[in-house]
Amino acid sequence: MGDSLHLSTADLAALAFFLVAWLAHTLASDGKLVSRVSLTTAMNAQREAWMRTMAEREIRIVDTAIMSGLQQGTAFFASSSLIAIGGCFALLGASDRVLEVLSDLPLGGAPSRAAFQIKVFGLVLILAFSFFKFGWAYRLFNYCTILIGAVPIPHGEASRNPVTETAVWRAARMNMLAGKHFNSGLRGVFFSIGYLGWFVDPTVFVLSTLLLLAVLVRRQFFSAARQAVIGQPPGPGKGRSIRPGSQ
């Protein structure tokens, strides 16, 4: 089967491992595979807290400024994905030169032209997936801005009535959905880096996937950023200086 696809059995096995690693990390980050709270899950709770705090403000300039920043970041990554896709098609036009470079590498040998092109198209698919995720996240952030505007201005008990609670829930839910799709697009960009190992050798592909997975797992479950979100400040008399540069 591998020969019919111009890919070896080792190539297919490495690709399957890559896809399983991607899926497992996605499920774990969303809290569906492990019980440990991930950075993504912790930030979702903060998104909801943000929307509830927003509902108590009469002037929401700070909230719209934050939403503008989120949209700008999403638009940047969407544009970068399109540029990277263009680079992949340029890579196809320079297939012969790239294969010459790969043949000089000490690990493995250069793949056939057909196998190389299949791998490039695979990279295009990953980047296209990321682009569509970023594009949808941008639109959802835009919808979230509208929902923020629909939250009633608080007057007395207005911030706690059922109408306001429903409006806050909608805004929070939309914000979390936008963040979910943005994270999916960003995850695709990250895994595209690990995918580059496949152009060298299936073994390098597996190793680059493992290295990337280790970095992403650490950031999601064991990083200082996660601790900053879910941690508690020290009690009285136990203050500690905050060291800049912690990750």
Side-chain angles (χ1 to χ4, degrees), residues 53-105:
T53 303
M54 173 274 302
E56 299 176 359
R57 283 194 282 260
E58 292 190 11
I59 300 176
R60 296 167 181 170
I61 296 177
V62 62
D63 305 295
T64 55
I66 295 172
M67 291 303 304
S68 178
L70 292 174
Q71 286 183 303
Q72 289 177 6
T74 304
F76 167 78
F77 281 106
S79 300
S80 299
S81 298
L82 279 181
I83 294 174
I85 290 174
C88 289
F89 284 107
L91 191 63
L92 286 173
S95 297
D96 293 334
R97 295 182 60 184
V98 175
L99 289 173
E100 289 179 5
V101 173
L102 292 177
S103 64
D104 292 335
L105 295 178

Side-chain angles (χ1 to χ4, degrees), residues 10-246:
D11 282 322
L12 295 177
L15 178 60
F17 176 79
F18 172 80
L19 295 175
V20 169
W22 189 345
L23 177 61
H25 183 266
T26 300
L27 294 176
S29 298
D30 292 340
K32 299 178 181 178
L33 198 62
V34 295
S35 58
R36 186 177 177 84
V37 177
S38 67
L39 178 59
T40 298
T41 302
M43 285 305 302
N44 281 338
Q46 295 302 314
R47 291 176 189 272
E48 182 177 359
W50 169 26
M51 291 297 102
R52 294 193 176 280
T53 303
M54 173 274 302
E56 299 176 359
R57 283 194 282 260
E58 292 190 11
I59 300 176
R60 296 167 181 170
I61 296 177
V62 62
D63 305 295
T64 55
I66 295 172
M67 291 303 304
S68 178
L70 292 174
Q71 286 183 303
Q72 289 177 6
T74 304
F76 167 78
F77 281 106
S79 300
S80 299
S81 298
L82 279 181
I83 294 174
I85 290 174
C88 289
F89 284 107
L91 191 63
L92 286 173
S95 297
D96 293 334
R97 295 182 60 184
V98 175
L99 289 173
E100 289 179 5
V101 173
L102 292 177
S103 64
D104 292 335
L105 295 178
L107 297 175
S112 65
R113 183 184 180 89
F116 173 76
Q117 292 176 342
I118 289 174
K119 295 175 181 180
V120 173
F121 278 118
L123 183 58
V124 169
L125 288 177
I126 294 175
L127 295 172
F129 168 84
S130 295
F131 168 75
F132 281 110
K133 284 293 184 179
F134 288 133
W136 185 235
Y138 184 90
R139 191 170 185 179
L140 293 182
F141 279 129
N142 183 52
Y143 290 159
C144 184
T145 304
I146 296 173
L147 291 175
I148 288 176
V151 176
I153 299 297
H155 291 290
E157 297 295 322
S159 62
R160 293 182 291 276
N161 63 34
V163 174
T164 302
E165 285 293 324
T166 300
V168 169
W169 179 87
R170 288 171 177 167
R173 179 60 178 165
M174 188 65 72
N175 199 312
M176 286 187 281
L177 284 173
K180 177 180 179 180
H181 286 281
F182 176 81
N183 288 334
S184 294
L186 198 59
R187 193 176 297 115
V189 172
F190 288 152
F191 272 90
S192 69
I193 303 301
Y195 183 92
L196 296 178
W198 198 15
F199 289 95
V200 180
D201 181 79
T203 302
V204 176
F205 187 19
V206 171
L207 293 177
S208 62
T209 301
L210 284 173
L211 178 60
L212 176 69
L213 186 62
V215 172
L216 295 181
V217 167
R218 177 189 174 278
R219 290 181 175 180
Q220 277 288 348
F221 298 100
F222 304 99
S223 65
R226 172 185 176 276
Q227 185 60 32
V229 177
I230 68 174
Q232 297 293 331
K238 298 180 181 180
R240 294 179 299 174
S241 60
I242 300 177
R243 295 176 298 173
S246 298

